[in-house]
Structure formats: structure tokens, C-alpha cells
Amino acid sequence: MWFWWFMFVCDLIIPILLIIAGRMMWKHCPQKINGIYGYRTRRSMKNMDTWKFAHDYCGRLW
């Protein structure tokens, strides 16, 4: 029986991490455009308006 509880907890880890990452991306986006972390696409890194919009939109989707 412990195996089923273990698998149940393992299955819940990914959705919980996605919710936390989405919330962090939505509420606390990186202040400067960088190539290390954040939602990095060519279009989102054009200027600060698109950078903030991309993080807001992606965070809400996650």
C-alpha cells in the first residue's frame, strides 16, 4: 500500500511545481532582460514591454 501512496505523491509533484513556477513567473518576473532565466524567446526579449507581457501571459497559462 505504501507504494501507491508514494506514486500518488510523485504524480502530484509536477503539477505543484508548475503552479509554483507559473505564479513566480507571473508575479515576480526578472527586472532586466537576460539570456539566463525567464521566458526567453527572440520576440519576448525585444523590449521591456514584451518581456513583461510574455512573463505575465506565460505565468497565467501555467
Side-chain angles (χ1 to χ4, degrees):
M1 185 70 175
W2 64 270
F3 177 74
W4 298 111
W5 284 109
F6 175 73
M7 290 305 294
F8 178 70
V9 170
C10 287
D11 287 340
L12 289 179
I13 288 175
I14 292 174
I16 290 171
L17 287 176
L18 283 175
I19 290 171
I20 291 170
R23 186 90 171 150
M24 292 297 292
M25 190 179 293
W26 179 31
K27 295 290 184 180
H28 307 286
C29 75
Q31 298 299 318
K32 295 181 181 179
I33 298 173
N34 59 51
I36 298 172
Y37 67 96
Y39 184 74
R40 301 175 317 265
T41 60
R42 223 178 297 147
R43 188 175 225 176
S44 71
M45 294 173 71
K46 282 190 177 185
N47 59 33
M48 281 305 290
D49 290 334
T50 57
W51 180 254
K52 288 186 185 277
F53 175 78
H55 279 85
D56 183 49
Y57 188 72
C58 185
R60 287 178 190 241
L61 281 179
W62 276 16

